[in-house]
Amino acid sequence: MVASASGVSSATVSRVYNNPGSVSAEKRNAVFKAAAKLGYIPNKSASALRRNGSGIITLLEIKKEKREYYWAELSLFKWFYADVLKAVKEVTDPSMFQLNLATAANAEDLGKLKGTTDGLICFDVDRMEEAELIADSGLPFIIGHHTKNYTGFPRCSTDNEAGGVLQAELLKKAGCTRPAYITAHLDAVEPHRDRLNGFLSAFGREQVTIIETGVGRDAGFKAAKGIISELKSGRIDGIAAVNDITATGAGYALTDAGLKVQTDIPLAGYDNMPFGIALPFSLLSIDINPAGIYRSAAKMLLEELTGKASQASRIISPFAASNPF
Amino acid sequence: MVASASGVSSATVSRVYNNPGSVSAEKRNAVFKAAAKLGYIPNKSASALRRNGSGIITLLEIKKEKREYYWAELSLFKWFYADVLKAVKEVTDPSMFQLNLATAANAEDLGKLKGTTDGLICFDVDRMEEAELIADSGLPFIIGHHTKNYTGFPRCSTDNEAGGVLQAELLKKAGCTRPAYITAHLDAVEPHRDRLNGFLSAFGREQVTIIETGVGRDAGFKAAKGIISELKSGRIDGIAAVNDITATGAGYALTDAGLKVQTDIPLAGYDNMPFGIALPFSLLSIDINPAGIYRSAAKMLLEELTGKASQASRIISPFAASNPF
DNA sequence: ATGAAAGCGCTAACAT
DNA sequence: ATGTTAGCGCTTTCAT
C-alpha cells in the first residue's frame, strides 16, 4: 500500500527503511509521506521471516552456579536489572528487532537459544569461562559489565577502578585523609580488586586501612566496630566499603558508637542501591550506570547485526551518586 | 522437515503445536519425536505473519500522571516490576507469542501499540479511567492488580482486604490486641481503604487507633512518635502501616524511644519490600504475590487470544511474608 | 537508483 | 483426522 501510494515498488519501500542512503531523496520523502499518512509500521515478523533470522535480540542473564559471593542472589538485584532492561529496550524498540529475555547457566541453555535469537546481550558476565561459553554458542554477542579485562571479546564494561577513585574523591571532599576500606573476596572477585586499587591509587596505599573480612551488613558492622577507637581518636577518619550493603552495616556500627554518619565520619558505599529511603542515615555511593552500559551494548550488537562497522569494546564510566540516600 | 521426517503434512505439524487435541496421539508423538531429533522450534515470526497478527503480547506499564501519592515513583518499584516480568515470561515463552514491554500514559500511547501487539497485560491499573482507556483501545486486555472492584473488565486482582486481615493476624499472633494503624490518602487510594477495612474487620473497629497523616518514612516516624506514651502505657500494643516504608519510619520512632521493634511492639508493613537486608530491625509484612497475579493474567490473555474459554476475572490472595526482614 | 519476482515458515480454509 | 494449497509482509537477488 505504501509502495503504490508513493509510486514506487515495494522493494524501494523496504530500502527506505533498511538502507535509506541507497534511495534517492525524492523517492525517500515520497515514501515517508505516504507511510505517515497511512500510519504504516513495518512488520517485524515479516522482516524477520524473510531475513531468515528470528528478528530477536536476547538480553541474557547469566545465571551463576553457587559461588562464594554473588550479588544477584539479593532481591535488590532486580532493581538493577529493571534499569538495564529499560535501557536496552530504548535501543531495540526503534530497530527491526524484538527484545527477548532469557536466563542461561550453561552451554545447553545457550544451545536452546540458537534458532530463537539473532544475537545476545549478556548481562553481568564476570568470569572468563562465562565469556568463553557465550562465544562458543556461535551467536553474535556483547558481554557486560565487569568485563574490562576480557580482551578479545566484544564487550561493554564498567570501570571499577575509576569507580574506586570516585569513591575516594567523595571521601576526600568530606575531609577524609586516612580512610578504612572494607572489602572481601579479593582473590575471587575481580571487581572488588579493581575498586580497591582505584581507591588506593587515589589515597596512597599507606593512608588506607584495608579490612578484608567479608561483605554484607553484618560484616560491615563488625568491621566498623573493630575500628571505633581509631575513628574516635582520628587515626582513621572515614570509611569506604566495596558495596552499599556493607557500608550500611558500618553505618549502624557508627551510630551504635555514638558517631554521626557523614557528619562525624564520612561513609561511602558502591552501587547506589535504592534502599536509601528506608535507611536512618545517608550514604555516599558510586553508580556504575547500568543503563549507560547496556544501552551501549545494545547499540554495538545492533551495529554488528546490521553489518555496520562497530567498535570491539567500550568502557563506561561510573559516576558519584547524585542522590544522597 | 519435521513433517516429512514424521510422515505427516506440514499442516498436521502446525496442529500439533497449536491444537494438539485435534491430532491423533499416534501422529502427535511421531511429530514430537521428529521435532526433538531435529531440534525443531516453531518460528514465531512466521506464525505471527501468517496469523496476520503481530504475534506479540505487551506487558503494559500504566504511567500515572502526577498524583498525590504514587508508589511507582519509588525506585524500589522496579524490584516489583522485575518479579512481574519474570512471571509473565514464564507463560508467554512456551506460547507462540513473543513478549513486549511498553509504557503508556494516555490514549495516544495506546494507539501506537495498535498494530504492534495482539493483546495487553496491563500492570498496576488502579483507576477506573485507566481501565476505560485501555478498553477503548480495542485491543484484547487483562488489567491487574488493584482491580478487584472494577467489575465489567477482564482482570486479575489482589485482595487488599484479605491482606489487611492477614496483617491483623500477624499482629495478633504477636500478642497485639489494640493496634494503631498508620495510613493516608484513604479517599484517593482505594487499596489503602481496602487494607484498612480488612484490618478493622479482623480487630474490631473499636480496638484500632487509626492515624491518617501520611505515608512514607517521615510520616510513619511522626505518627509513631505521636503515640509513644500510649505504647509505653500499653494502651496501644502494636503498629500496622499501609506499607513497608511507612512502617520503617515507625520502627525508627520506636527505636528512638527505647522500644524494641517486634520484641516490645509488633510492627507490620505491607508489600514485602526487599530492603530488609539494610534495616536495623525486622518487619512483618504482606506480600501481594505479584508473580501469581500476573502469571494468571498472562494465562487469561493467552486463553482469550487463542479462542479458548477463559474466566472473566480472578482474585489472587496475598500471603504473610515468610521471610522476615 | 529502481523494479520484478521468489520465497522465508507458518496457518487456515477447504477438501477429503 | 488429515492433506493441499494460498498467501501473510517483507527482503534480496537479479535485471535493467
Side-chain angles (χ1 to χ4, degrees):
Chain A
M1 292 190 56
V2 173
S4 59
S6 50
V8 301
S9 72
S10 66
T12 297
V13 175
S14 175
R15 286 187 191 105
V16 165
Y17 284 91
N18 293 294
N19 193 5
S22 73
V23 178
S24 69
E26 193 184 12
K27 302 217 172 194
R28 204 186 317 139
N29 288 332
V31 168
F32 281 138
K33 196 176 286 180
K37 198 176 208 163
L38 298 166
Y40 168 74
I41 296 168
N43 182 315
K44 291 192 186 197
S45 294
S47 167
L49 180 59
R50 181 56 238 245
R51 278 205 168 98
N52 213 339
S54 61
I56 290 171
I57 286 177
T58 297
L59 176 59
L60 183 68
E61 185 192 342
I62 302 298
K63 199 109 202 160
K64 276 56 165 157
E65 304 301 322
K66 270 254 165 296
R67 55 165 78 168
E68 201 180 357
Y69 164 69
Y70 179 48
W71 72 291
E73 275 145 27
L74 304 174
S75 57
L76 284 164
F77 162 90
K78 294 172 193 167
W79 143 85
F80 192 94
Y81 185 70
D83 260 359
V84 168
L85 177 55
K86 202 182 148 202
V88 170
K89 264 201 76 69
E90 257 173 51
V91 178
T92 55
D93 264 358
S95 80
M96 275 298 182
F97 292 90
Q98 171 73 14
L99 182 64
N100 182 38
L101 308 172
T103 303
N106 50 44
E108 198 194 334
D109 293 347
L110 276 167
K112 280 185 202 143
L113 284 170
K114 201 65 188 285
T116 312
T117 197
D118 294 338
L120 304 173
I121 299 167
C122 304
F123 177 65
D124 197 19
V125 173
D126 64 354
R127 301 244 165 141
M128 202 63 176
E129 308 93 81
E130 287 169 16
E132 281 160 359
L133 196 72
I134 291 159
D136 285 347
S137 77
L139 285 163
F141 68 95
I142 308 282
I143 57 176
H145 53 257
H146 289 307
T147 52
K148 195 177 148 199
N149 304 319
Y150 297 4
T151 50
F153 295 93
R155 65 203 193 280
C156 202
S157 318
T158 185
D159 191 336
N160 280 303
E161 215 168 317
V165 172
L166 283 175
Q167 210 182 11
E169 281 166 4
L170 238 26
L171 288 187
K172 280 183 176 172
K173 211 186 293 172
C176 171
T177 59
R178 296 172 305 278
Y181 189 97
I182 308 172
T183 187
H185 308 303
L186 288 173
D187 288 339
V189 186
E190 189 178 278
H192 289 194
R193 282 203 299 282
D194 291 346
R195 290 175 189 184
L196 176 58
N197 286 337
F199 191 85
L200 291 176
S201 76
F203 262 110
R205 188 172 286 266
E206 321 72 42
Q207 317 306 319
V208 182
T209 304
I210 300 172
I211 307 176
E212 190 183 348
T213 48
V215 290
R217 199 184 66 172
D218 293 346
F221 186 90
K222 266 185 221 152
K225 264 289 182 219
I227 55 168
I228 291 296
S229 59
E230 280 99 324
L231 287 164
K232 290 201 163 159
S233 75
R235 232 283 296 143
I236 296 174
D237 59 357
I239 300 179
V242 70
N243 61 35
D244 285 341
I245 294 175
T246 309
T248 299
Y252 288 129
L254 294 178
T255 307
D256 228 45
L259 292 164
K260 269 206 161 313
V261 174
Q262 306 312 351
T263 319
D264 298 334
I265 305 291
L267 176 61
Y270 204 113
D271 290 340
N272 198 21
M273 283 291 200
F275 49 66
I277 192 171
L279 287 182
F281 44 75
S282 77
L283 221 51
L284 304 168
S285 196
I286 305 299
D287 194 310
I288 79 161
N289 188 11
I293 294 169
Y294 287 94
R295 196 180 299 117
S296 278
K299 279 183 196 155
M300 286 165 61
L301 183 62
L302 235 43
E303 282 164 9
E304 179 172 337
L305 291 181
T306 54
K308 272 156 206 140
S310 171
Q311 49 203 320
S313 79
R314 204 148 140 51
I315 290 180
I316 306 292
S317 298
F319 54 82
S322 53
N323 306 335
F325 283 31
Chain B
M1 291 189 56
V2 173
S4 60
S6 49
V8 302
S9 72
S10 66
T12 298
V13 175
S14 176
R15 288 188 190 103
V16 166
Y17 284 91
N18 293 293
N19 193 5
S22 73
V23 178
S24 69
E26 192 184 12
K27 302 220 171 192
R28 204 187 317 139
N29 289 332
V31 168
F32 281 138
K33 196 177 285 179
K37 197 178 211 163
L38 297 167
Y40 168 75
I41 296 168
N43 182 316
K44 292 192 184 195
S45 294
S47 168
L49 181 59
R50 180 56 238 244
R51 277 202 165 99
N52 214 338
S54 61
I56 290 170
I57 285 177
T58 297
L59 175 59
L60 183 68
E61 185 192 342
I62 302 299
K63 198 108 203 160
K64 276 54 165 159
E65 303 302 322
K66 273 256 164 293
R67 57 166 78 166
E68 201 181 356
Y69 164 70
Y70 179 48
W71 72 292
E73 275 145 27
L74 304 175
S75 56
L76 284 165
F77 161 90
K78 294 173 192 167
W79 143 84
F80 192 95
Y81 185 69
D83 261 0
V84 168
L85 177 55
K86 203 182 148 201
V88 171
K89 263 201 75 70
E90 255 174 51
V91 178
T92 55
D93 264 358
S95 81
M96 276 298 181
F97 290 90
Q98 171 73 13
L99 181 64
N100 183 37
L101 308 173
T103 303
N106 50 45
E108 199 195 332
D109 294 347
L110 277 167
K112 281 186 201 140
L113 285 169
K114 200 66 187 286
T116 313
T117 198
D118 294 339
L120 304 172
I121 298 166
C122 304
F123 177 63
D124 197 18
V125 173
D126 64 355
R127 301 244 166 141
M128 202 61 177
E129 307 93 82
E130 287 169 15
E132 282 160 0
L133 197 71
I134 291 159
D136 285 346
S137 77
L139 286 163
F141 69 95
I142 308 283
I143 56 175
H145 51 256
H146 289 307
T147 53
K148 195 176 148 200
N149 304 319
Y150 297 4
T151 50
F153 295 93
R155 65 202 194 280
C156 201
S157 319
T158 185
D159 191 337
N160 280 303
E161 214 167 318
V165 172
L166 283 175
Q167 211 182 10
E169 281 166 4
L170 238 25
L171 287 187
K172 281 184 176 171
K173 211 185 296 173
C176 171
T177 58
R178 296 173 305 279
Y181 189 97
I182 308 172
T183 187
H185 308 303
L186 288 174
D187 287 339
V189 186
E190 188 178 280
H192 288 195
R193 281 203 301 281
D194 291 348
R195 290 175 189 185
L196 176 57
N197 286 337
F199 191 84
L200 292 176
S201 74
F203 262 110
R205 189 172 285 266
E206 323 71 43
Q207 317 306 319
V208 182
T209 304
I210 300 173
I211 307 176
E212 190 183 348
T213 48
V215 290
R217 199 183 65 173
D218 293 346
F221 187 88
K222 265 184 223 156
K225 265 291 183 218
I227 54 167
I228 292 296
S229 60
E230 280 99 325
L231 288 164
K232 290 202 163 158
S233 75
R235 232 282 298 143
I236 297 175
D237 59 358
I239 300 179
V242 70
N243 62 34
D244 285 342
I245 294 175
T246 308
T248 300
Y252 288 130
L254 293 178
T255 308
D256 229 46
L259 292 165
K260 269 206 161 314
V261 174
Q262 306 311 351
T263 319
D264 297 334
I265 305 290
L267 176 61
Y270 204 113
D271 290 340
N272 199 19
M273 283 289 200
F275 49 66
I277 191 171
L279 288 182
F281 45 75
S282 75
L283 220 52
L284 305 168
S285 196
I286 304 299
D287 194 311
I288 80 160
N289 189 10
I293 293 169
Y294 287 94
R295 195 180 299 116
S296 278
K299 279 183 196 154
M300 285 164 63
L301 183 62
L302 235 44
E303 282 164 7
E304 179 172 339
L305 291 181
T306 53
K308 274 156 204 140
S310 172
Q311 49 203 319
S313 80
R314 206 149 138 51
I315 290 180
I316 307 292
S317 298
F319 53 83
S322 53
N323 307 332
F325 282 31

